[in-house]
Amino acid sequence: MPSWLRRGETLAVVMLSVVLVAALIGPLLSPYSSIIPSGAPHLPPLSAGHLFGTDELGLDIATRILEGTRTSLLTALVVTVIAAVAGMLIGTLAGFVGGVLDTVLMRVTDLFLALPATIVAMAVAAGLGTGLTSSMIAITVVWWPLYARLVRGEVRRTARALHVEAARMSGTRGTRLVLRHVLPSVLPTVAVTASLDIGGVIVTVAALSFVGLGAPAPAPELGLMASAGLQYVVNSWWIPVLPGLAVGLLSLLFNYAGDGLRAVLRGKGA
Amino acid sequence: MSKPHAGVLEVAGLSIRYTSRTPAVLAVDDVSLTVAPGQCVGLVGESGSGKSTIGAAVQGLLTRETHVEADGTVRVDGVDLDVTAEAGWDGVRGHRVTTVFQDPMSSLDPTMTVGRMLTRVTGSKQESLRWLEAVEIRDPGTVLRAYPHQLSGGMRQRVMIALALARGPALLVADEPTTALDVSVQAQILRLLTRERERLGCGVLFITHDLGVARAMCDEVAVMRHGRLVERGPAATVFGAPAEPYTQRLVASRLTLSTDRQRPIGLPDPTVLTAMRETGAAPDDLEHRWERGDLHWSSFTRERTEVRGGHTLELAGVTKSFRTGGLFGAAHKTVLTGVDLRVARHQSVALVGESGSGKSTILRIVAGLETADAGDVYVDRTQGAGVQVVFQDAGASLTPWRTVGQLLAERLEDLPKKERDQRVRLALERVALDPALAGSRPGQLSGGQRQRVAIARAIVVPPALLLCDEPTSALDVSVACSVLNLLNLLRHELGLSILFVTHDLAAARIIADRVDVISDGTIVEQVPAASMSTDMTSEYGRRLLDAVLA
Amino acid sequence: MLRKTASAALLTISLTLLAACSGGGTPGTSAAAGDDLLKLAFLGGVKTPDPDTAYDGPELNLVNSAYEGLVTYKSGQDKAELTAALATTWSADPTNTVFTFDLREGVTFHDGTPFTAAAVEKSFQRRTDVGEGPAYMVGDVKSVATPSDKQVVITLDAPNSAFLDLLASPFGPKIVSPAAIEAHPYSADGENWFASNDAGTGPYRYGTFTPDTSYQLTAYDGYWGAKPGYPTVEFSVVSSLSTIQLQLENGELDGLAGYSDSTTFTALQAKEKLKTYQFSSMQTPTMFLNPKSATLADQATRLDLLAGVDFTDLATKALGAVGKPATGVFPANLLTGADDQQKITHDGTKLASLAAGSLKSKTIKIAYGATSADAKNLSDNLAAVLNAAGITAQSTGYALGTYFPELEKGAAGPDITFFAGFPDTAHPDAWATVFYTPKGGLDLFGAEVPGLSDTLGKARETGDQQLYAQVASQVSESGWWYTVATSLGTAVFADDVAGVEQSYHPVITGVLNLAVLHPAGA
């Protein structure tokens, strides 16, 4: 890997840390509420008191992007963790026990894998109403199979490894064998995949709220801001473009940081 | 050093430092050596001795590495070269110096047929065919059309040799060219290399950890340790009358068919001595008695109260086949056909055979990792805690993220913690490992230490039967020597029954009471280890005997 | 994995940017095509331009250019005034049950068939047979008698003071060539000949129609009235308002009727070579409150909320150039000479007390149909106002298919919705019955004021304005509806197009009388 890329990843980690801190404490620092108008509508960026300008209602865009970022991060984190844990549970069970259970679980996994996130989100929204929780459930529902497949493959591979056979010969069986000798080798892969996935989940959350399946207005959600603002793109470009850029930047940062993590874990393994 | 300035390779005062770590690692320390045309110089040493770094340096493989510094001079075929700078290497690398690596797969282009690769060098198909014939490839026409992955390891190595020699190099660097091959193939390849060297008159720098190979191949031998040249001279001198203690130890560790199997092998070894003292049965003045050849394994044999006789392991008519092939043409490959094998109580049996002979399958069946298709497998579990295995690749058999203590303790789950710790400590002491290593992870240990951890795990609760799968073949000679000594000590002290799978008759002879030869899934003969070299009659057995380079 | 997600991210960015740039293309294409061709646009396609199915809006620009009814409204004035079309005179009996029409002479349909009284009967019959939304307008017709070729007498089942207005409605019954009706019978699931052909008497006939791409109108030479100002009018279908804006700015379009949102309209106002127009209409953005709402079912809370919101300010902020605050209950210009005032007086302090009182830690859910910019802006702005006052409020848009089902969810549905509706015609009954009675069809939450239906029934017979004034005050006092604004119909035209002021419709927005447009100076 060329050294400039390494620098890029380091930079990504540094920027990501800044973004994380900003997202955590930023809303506290901002003098404005993200849902109460704080200025005239359609103020362009760099207006006095409004770094990124205001939207059609006069809400401060910078404040909303900060809070939207926090929501995105939190959502993505929760979704990824739940999907990873659920996927690991099912993948491990399928990979380790094998046989009929494996076949059944993997068919079920395929079934979920084939579902498009948007359709599931619509179904969930129909049942629970639109909102952040609904889109989180929907994304988790379509996201865990990826981990189940990944983990199953890794578990099957690891289960055949010599050290697992040796441990089995030592009399270690069942759950204990999996927990002690199999899963730890799967964890780094899952961690790397998850860290790379966070970017994807952020984009998916934004995409769902872009098509109106996320939290209702005036919740500061990046996808919603971009979609609601799209009609003003010609006359007030900053209203949809800045939240859109924020989504892109966030997911790029997570990708680079995830790549960095992968490089670090690979380096350790070598 | 007969003609100091006429060598195809002249290395003077070469030092190489890897600066990627702080402090920098001195991989090669002030080494000088010369290879004359037509001469084969062996560069011998254990892993980490710096021999491969020299091999890479003289091929110009370090010029693109960052973090490498070098002093001294390297002159290849009369050209002065800087091992860390690209200048000058162009017409040399791959032309004046060519190489045969341990793993030809990594240096053959997987996307090209052998013919294309070879014809690029030779210029014509006829010439390529001639070269394949020269490296004793049967049916060279077919091989020319084959891709590397379609060839066996031995064939690939022959192709590699043809590629290396067809360029007409002044110097051939052979880096462990036979280590990955079966013993019987190894001998053929070595003969081939010697013949072609003599025919072509090129110099050979032969890098190996195997003293037997070096002795068979080389005119001159240079012994390396910790980056330094310890001793150099004609092969006969270095192996016959080594001057340096390190060389003496190495040479003494080398196993032949005449090595005394009643006594510890090699020179007195502190790790083994420690383990011997731990038994409590050790005679006084251990080290001197060992040195004088006055230390017999029998002095460690414990009095056993139970009646002798009976078998720990009985295999009767064991058959096994595996499914091969794809979705449709599913074929069954028979691996074992009617194997009968018995290991008597306290007996040690070596199962020898080349790869693919079925010996590992037997081991896996006995270990319970596979089940036989037909036949009886009986293990007398009253004699100990079932079956334990020491694998060839000890590193891979130890779960990397568990500590040594945790790994050993897993066999003692039902004991209280205090007793468990005590037993773990005891087992580690038995294999002469510092009990403080209980907190280490396998990655922090050396190869020999890992193998001893694997043995300790096997004996922390003495098993009815200990299975050893080539436990020494991946180890350096001196380390292999201690492991064999330890196994012998444990065998006598604990009265373990052992089934020892190997392709190395010399090692088999040390551990085993009886040697069973397996070929094509059948046991072809069973001979007492002591009289092996005379009693062995099967064709395959004789071949193996020949492969042990005397 | 990196590449995949990263490109998804880039896609998001580029989509946003693309939207910003799209439509900017093809500079230098011909500016307005001079005096022969008028180029206009539909935003995102139109419904089938069959006179008896058309019930949406934009397609009336086609339908009403090719067909005429018996009577119509004068275009280019705020007040809806009946004027002659295919009937030259008309009269109603005192009970509003029997209507007599004298028909225009010398009129021929576009297919050459002469216009006679028989065509009226056939056309009414077709509307009933087709049975789509606008069929109700002739539903009460008991008989159509034709004493002569030039006279029809229509008898209703029951008195209806709104009947003439229904005939004049932009969606009202059109007179179609009986030959064409015979030749091309309507079938609900078959190919509809009338979707791309016309058989009316209007100033234009249908030219080349490429559905969802472009629609052309060409002048009808045999038209009985004044010749239209432009021989050809072409509507192209454009998918985004931004594109339309750019095409107007660089002259690829000559004009646009309706569609503009306030920002676009304001931006276009500043452009040279373009003239912008704002017209009154009867489209009336209204707030509906859910009678099953856990918070707003309580009358005191509901009325306090309505009093607390400054609707004048809300309408101004939310609608900007495309609306003006309403003062009455009924759509503007609908009740004449009667009291039509909101009964709720604004009191800015009420919101704070609600926030601390009955709406404390409650969430007000506001819904709107995602296709309506007016409704969205009102929802968003009301949410902002409530949030600023400390009352948690959400504003959610629903796609066409989910909006109405959402409103029917009762207590689980939204508390408030905004809807920018208009009456089918300029009669108070067409507004009040539809929006204020559960049977009307657009009483979105099904709210009901006791006795209101009866009052409206009586008023329908006589057209008594005082009864409608009574309805207005009952509706206002109930607090289930609040009339927020009057939508302004917008039009943007190149400055070489004249007659726009004379072309607008008094009832609905976005539909112009195209025949009166003409090149400036001509």
Side-chain angles (χ1 to χ4, degrees):
Chain A
M1 191 171 288
S3 55
W4 64 266
L5 198 55
R6 286 261 196 234
R7 276 204 296 280
E9 284 152 5
T10 315
L11 189 68
V13 171
V14 172
M15 282 178 69
L16 194 58
S17 318
V18 172
V19 169
L20 287 175
V21 171
L24 279 177
I25 65 160
L28 300 177
L29 295 180
S30 166
Y32 308 118
S33 154
S34 64
I35 56 167
I36 299 173
S38 57
H42 295 282
L43 287 178
L46 303 179
S47 301
H50 300 284
L51 185 61
F52 288 172
T54 58
D55 69 3
E56 74 276 13
L57 297 176
L59 305 175
D60 181 61
I61 292 181
T63 309
R64 285 173 67 76
I65 286 183
L66 274 177
E67 263 192 46
T69 304
R70 179 162 66 173
T71 317
S72 283
L73 289 176
L74 209 67
T75 317
L77 214 64
V78 171
V79 166
T80 314
V81 167
I82 294 178
V85 168
M88 259 173 74
L89 218 69
I90 289 167
T92 306
L93 213 60
F96 194 74
V97 177
V100 180
L101 187 67
D102 181 28
T103 314
V104 170
L105 285 178
M106 281 304 110
R107 287 302 82 79
V108 172
T109 306
D110 288 344
L111 199 77
F112 278 94
L113 206 54
L115 293 174
T118 321
I119 304 291
V120 175
M122 282 175 174
V124 174
L128 301 176
T130 54
L132 208 53
T133 322
S134 296
S135 50
M136 279 165 73
I137 291 173
I139 301 171
T140 311
V141 161
V142 294
W143 219 271
W144 70 263
L146 297 171
Y147 289 92
R149 281 224 154 268
L150 177 82
V151 169
R152 172 186 173 267
E154 286 280 315
V155 163
R156 279 175 67 96
R157 200 173 54 74
T158 309
R160 283 197 302 267
L162 197 57
H163 70 79
V164 178
E165 287 191 339
R168 201 177 263 143
M169 301 276 326
S170 299
T172 310
R173 302 281 153 107
T175 320
R176 205 177 262 171
L177 184 65
V178 172
L179 288 181
R180 287 183 181 174
H181 297 275
V182 179
L183 269 193
S185 85
V186 177
L187 279 176
T189 318
V190 171
V192 168
T193 312
S195 68
L196 285 172
D197 269 5
I198 288 182
V201 174
I202 288 176
V203 172
T204 312
V205 171
L208 286 184
S209 85
F210 189 90
V211 299
L213 293 170
E221 216 180 279
L222 299 175
L224 179 71
M225 289 166 71
S227 77
L230 204 51
Q231 56 173 311
Y232 306 109
V233 74
V234 174
N235 304 305
S236 313
W237 59 268
W238 58 92
I239 296 179
V241 169
L242 291 179
L245 280 176
V247 173
L249 192 69
L250 262 184
S251 87
L252 270 185
L253 284 181
F254 268 103
N255 271 298
Y256 273 112
D259 252 18
L261 178 64
R262 176 164 58 183
V264 169
L265 287 178
R266 279 242 178 100
K268 234 179 181 176
Chain B
M1 286 244 280
S2 47
K3 287 185 276 177
H5 293 294
V8 288
L9 173 67
E10 290 164 38
V11 175
L14 182 66
S15 296
I16 298 173
R17 278 176 303 278
Y18 290 109
T19 55
S20 51
R21 279 184 218 169
T22 14
V25 179
L26 188 60
V28 175
D29 185 4
D30 193 20
V31 168
S32 302
L33 62 90
T34 305
V35 179
Q39 190 190 27
C40 179
V41 174
L43 200 53
V44 177
E46 300 188 303
S47 44
S49 63
K51 58 185 194 302
S52 291
T53 303
I54 293 183
V58 304
Q59 295 170 61
L61 296 183
L62 299 182
T63 57
R64 285 177 199 193
E65 299 280 325
T66 44
H67 309 305
V68 170
E69 290 173 8
D71 296 323
T73 62
V74 169
R75 173 190 280 253
V76 176
D77 197 24
V79 184
D80 281 314
L81 293 159
D82 182 346
V83 300
T84 59
E86 187 56 31
W89 277 104
D90 253 2
V92 176
R93 186 194 301 119
H95 297 275
R96 306 312 296 149
V97 191
T98 57
T99 322
V100 179
F101 289 105
Q102 173 175 352
D103 176 14
M105 203 58 208
S106 61
S107 41
L108 293 176
D109 187 337
T111 67
M112 283 193 356
T113 62
V114 169
R116 253 186 91 192
M117 279 186 275
L118 203 50
T119 307
R120 277 190 169 188
V121 178
T122 61
S124 75
K125 199 184 161 195
Q126 282 73 20
E127 195 66 357
S128 302
L129 276 174
R130 209 186 55 70
W131 269 108
L132 287 186
E133 278 160 17
V135 295
E136 297 167 4
I137 285 179
R138 274 170 259 147
D139 195 8
T142 314
V143 173
L144 269 191
R145 288 190 301 275
Y147 286 92
H149 71 268
Q150 295 170 311
L151 304 177
S152 71
M155 295 273 259
R156 279 201 286 262
Q157 200 57 289
R158 284 167 205 267
V159 169
M160 189 73 212
I161 290 170
L163 274 169
L165 292 178
R167 293 181 186 271
L171 176 69
L172 176 73
V173 178
D175 192 350
E176 305 269 11
T178 59
T179 308
L181 303 177
D182 254 6
V183 274
S184 50
V185 181
Q186 170 179 336
Q188 295 165 10
I189 297 279
L190 291 179
R191 270 198 305 276
L192 171 74
L193 264 178
T194 308
R195 200 190 70 208
E196 289 301 305
R197 165 172 67 90
E198 282 164 0
R199 191 168 71 86
L200 299 169
C202 63
V204 175
L205 182 65
F206 197 99
I207 299 167
T208 183
H209 73 280
D210 188 329
L211 298 180
V213 171
R215 185 171 187 178
M217 286 293 293
C218 303
D219 308 316
E220 243 185 61
V221 173
V223 180
M224 289 198 68
R225 188 190 193 198
H226 301 330
R228 300 187 68 93
L229 258 188
V230 177
E231 185 168 357
R232 58 179 297 192
T237 318
V238 172
F239 291 118
E244 294 295 317
Y246 175 69
T247 321
Q248 287 166 1
R249 176 176 294 281
L250 271 190
V251 172
S253 305
R254 201 170 76 83
L255 301 179
T256 68
L257 293 177
S258 51
T259 306
D260 186 350
R261 48 188 298 280
Q262 304 301 327
R263 301 180 177 86
I265 49 174
L267 299 180
D269 174 354
T271 50
V272 181
L273 289 171
T274 313
M276 285 174 169
R277 288 191 193 103
E278 291 294 332
T279 63
D284 301 332
D285 201 15
L286 257 182
E287 192 169 349
H288 276 103
R289 293 181 68 157
W290 183 338
E291 228 169 331
R292 288 200 308 273
D294 194 17
L295 185 64
H296 290 255
W297 288 125
S298 53
S299 41
F300 296 97
T301 308
R302 288 240 180 102
E303 288 296 320
R304 274 176 262 275
T305 49
E306 83 272 28
V307 190
R308 289 190 64 92
H311 288 97
T312 307
L313 173 70
E314 286 182 70
L315 297 186
V318 168
T319 301
K320 175 80 183 170
S321 59
F322 290 105
R323 238 186 79 157
T324 58
L327 282 173
F328 305 105
H332 288 267
K333 189 186 172 210
T334 306
V335 183
L336 299 178
T337 43
V339 169
D340 298 317
L341 175 69
R342 291 176 165 199
V343 179
R345 203 163 288 167
H346 310 310
Q347 194 187 26
S348 170
V349 171
L351 189 61
V352 295
E354 59 189 338
S355 46
S357 60
K359 60 184 195 298
S360 298
T361 309
I362 292 182
L363 182 131
R364 292 179 64 81
I365 287 174
V366 174
L369 298 172
E370 305 275 359
T371 46
D373 297 341
D376 292 327
V377 179
Y378 167 74
V379 178
D380 180 5
R381 289 173 197 276
T382 61
Q383 296 304 304
V387 178
Q388 284 295 307
V389 188
V390 176
F391 292 96
Q392 172 176 11
D393 189 351
S397 76
L398 302 175
T399 307
W401 48 85
R402 307 275 294 163
T403 65
V404 168
Q406 287 172 331
L407 286 167
L408 263 60
E410 270 180 35
R411 296 201 57 216
L412 306 162
E413 294 281 332
D414 35 4
L415 294 183
K417 172 144 184 18
K418 203 172 158 196
E419 198 176 335
R420 214 157 49 196
D421 290 347
Q422 175 130 11
R423 294 280 288 273
V424 167
R425 199 169 49 79
L426 197 69
L428 289 175
E429 279 169 356
R430 274 220 168 102
V431 296
L433 284 174
D434 185 347
L437 288 181
S440 308
R441 291 195 168 75
Q444 299 164 302
L445 306 177
S446 72
Q449 285 176 320
R450 281 182 223 159
Q451 194 57 283
R452 282 185 277 153
V453 170
I455 296 172
R457 175 166 64 176
I459 57 142
V460 65
V461 183
L465 177 68
L466 180 65
L467 299 173
C468 298
D469 186 6
E470 310 250 19
T472 60
S473 67
L475 301 176
D476 279 326
V477 270
S478 57
V479 181
C481 195
S482 348
V483 168
L484 288 176
N485 280 331
L486 276 174
L487 279 174
N488 250 336
L489 177 64
L490 293 168
R491 174 160 84 93
H492 287 90
E493 183 201 355
L494 302 174
L496 293 175
S497 301
I498 296 182
L499 181 64
F500 188 92
V501 170
T502 184
H503 65 263
D504 182 355
L505 276 183
R509 197 177 146 273
I510 298 299
I511 293 290
D513 300 316
R514 194 185 83 219
V515 175
D516 289 13
V517 180
I518 180 168
S519 179
D520 284 337
T522 320
I523 293 194
V524 292
E525 69 180 323
Q526 303 187 320
V527 294
S531 57
M532 185 171 72
S533 42
T534 50
D535 290 0
M536 206 168 265
T537 54
S538 68
E539 189 211 331
Y540 180 66
R542 297 308 306 180
R543 220 165 68 222
L544 285 178
L545 275 177
D546 290 344
V548 181
L549 300 151
Chain C
M1 201 62 198
L2 167 72
R3 194 170 297 163
K4 194 174 129 200
T5 333
S7 55
L10 286 174
L11 188 72
T12 322
I13 301 175
S14 48
L15 272 180
T16 334
L17 293 177
L18 189 70
C21 308
S22 68
T26 62
T29 38
S30 70
D35 295 351
D36 292 340
L37 174 64
L38 182 68
K39 296 205 286 186
L40 306 176
F42 287 133
L43 177 62
V46 289
K47 294 276 164 54
T48 312
D50 176 326
D52 294 314
T53 66
Y55 201 31
D56 192 35
E59 77 278 18
L60 294 185
N61 282 303
L62 304 172
V63 173
N64 293 358
S65 295
Y67 296 93
E68 292 165 304
L70 293 175
V71 290
T72 187
Y73 289 123
K74 272 189 183 160
S75 66
Q77 61 181 40
D78 291 359
K79 194 163 165 32
E81 184 185 340
L82 286 179
T83 186
L86 291 178
T88 47
T89 60
W90 57 91
S91 62
D93 76 334
T95 63
N96 285 324
T97 314
V98 182
F99 298 83
T100 308
F101 300 86
D102 294 319
L103 304 184
R104 194 177 292 279
E105 294 190 38
V107 175
T108 51
F109 290 100
H110 298 159
D111 61 2
T113 313
F115 165 63
T116 62
V120 177
E121 192 191 356
K122 284 244 176 183
S123 297
F124 277 35
Q125 189 57 45
R126 180 173 193 267
R127 180 158 282 219
T128 306
D129 293 347
V130 168
E132 291 287 323
Y136 82 91
M137 295 180 172
V138 294
D140 284 348
V141 174
K142 188 181 190 177
S143 68
V144 179
T146 52
S148 79
D149 267 3
K150 294 298 153 201
Q151 195 179 53
V152 280
V153 177
I154 299 172
T155 309
L156 303 183
D157 288 331
N160 188 351
S161 65
F163 185 66
L164 285 173
D165 286 300
L166 286 174
L167 293 186
S169 157
F171 305 99
K174 302 293 185 295
I175 309 305
V176 185
S177 159
I181 293 176
E182 198 134 319
H184 309 288
Y186 181 84
S187 103
D189 42 0
E191 185 91 350
N192 185 0
W193 184 85
F194 286 91
S196 49
N197 299 279
D198 78 282
T201 58
Y204 284 103
R205 47 194 313 180
Y206 290 178
T208 313
F209 277 18
T210 315
D212 296 326
T213 306
S214 71
Y215 299 84
Q216 217 179 43
L217 295 173
T218 53
Y220 171 51
D221 292 337
Y223 184 53
W224 57 267
K227 228 174 149 58
Y230 286 94
T232 310
V233 179
E234 186 176 283
F235 287 88
S236 49
V237 176
V238 182
S239 59
S240 94
L241 186 58
S242 309
T243 312
I244 291 181
Q245 179 181 346
L246 293 164
Q247 289 182 344
L248 279 170
E249 285 173 14
N250 65 24
E252 284 175 61
L253 287 176
D254 296 318
L256 179 71
Y259 298 125
S260 293
D261 59 38
S262 178
T263 347
T264 311
F265 188 79
T266 314
L268 290 170
Q269 266 179 330
K271 301 291 173 194
E272 283 177 41
K273 303 221 167 196
L274 290 179
K275 280 178 85 174
T276 54
Y277 306 86
Q278 288 159 292
F279 308 120
S280 183
S281 79
M282 292 189 186
Q283 182 170 323
T284 308
T286 300
M287 177 165 137
F288 294 73
L289 291 84
N290 186 351
K292 301 212 175 73
S293 157
T295 45
L296 303 182
D298 173 52
Q299 172 130 12
T301 305
R302 189 166 73 242
L303 293 178
D304 279 357
L305 182 75
L306 292 175
V309 175
D310 182 347
F311 280 98
T312 308
D313 185 56
L314 181 72
T316 311
K317 271 193 181 144
L319 304 177
V322 299
K324 60 178 186 200
T327 52
V329 176
F330 276 83
N333 302 309
L334 202 49
L335 289 196
T336 44
D339 179 36
D340 177 24
Q341 287 294 312
Q342 279 292 352
K343 296 289 181 264
I344 291 168
T345 324
H346 173 55
D347 177 355
T349 62
K350 292 278 171 92
L351 286 186
S353 50
L354 282 176
S358 57
L359 292 182
K360 192 176 176 189
S361 64
K362 297 275 168 46
T363 298
I364 299 291
K365 292 192 281 180
I366 311 167
Y368 58 90
T371 48
S372 166
D374 287 351
K376 175 188 187 304
N377 290 337
L378 286 166
S379 283
D380 285 352
N381 275 279
L382 178 62
V385 166
L386 295 180
N387 280 312
I391 299 169
T392 309
Q394 295 172 345
S395 160
T396 312
Y398 292 91
L400 207 56
T402 56
Y403 177 61
F404 292 106
E406 186 67 24
L407 300 183
E408 280 162 17
K409 283 185 182 167
D415 303 295
I416 291 173
T417 189
F418 283 95
F419 188 85
F422 53 86
D424 278 359
T425 192
H427 190 283
D429 183 62
W431 174 264
T433 305
V434 171
F435 289 91
Y436 299 144
T437 65
K439 284 183 185 157
L442 285 174
D443 183 10
L444 297 175
F445 286 118
E448 193 167 10
V449 173
L452 198 71
S453 295
D454 294 343
T455 314
L456 284 171
K458 272 184 216 138
R460 187 183 305 121
E461 291 179 13
T462 59
D464 182 347
Q465 298 278 303
Q466 292 316 310
L467 285 178
Y468 287 116
Q470 191 185 321
V471 167
S473 73
Q474 275 180 288
V475 161
S476 181
E477 280 158 2
S478 77
W480 296 127
W481 303 271
Y482 196 97
T483 306
V484 181
T486 294
S487 290
L488 296 179
T490 61
V492 181
F493 275 86
D495 56 7
D496 56 1
V497 178
V500 183
E501 288 96 338
Q502 283 76 50
S503 72
Y504 76 93
H505 199 283
V507 177
I508 68 173
T509 62
V511 177
L512 300 183
N513 181 358
L514 299 176
V516 305
L517 300 178
H518 57 88

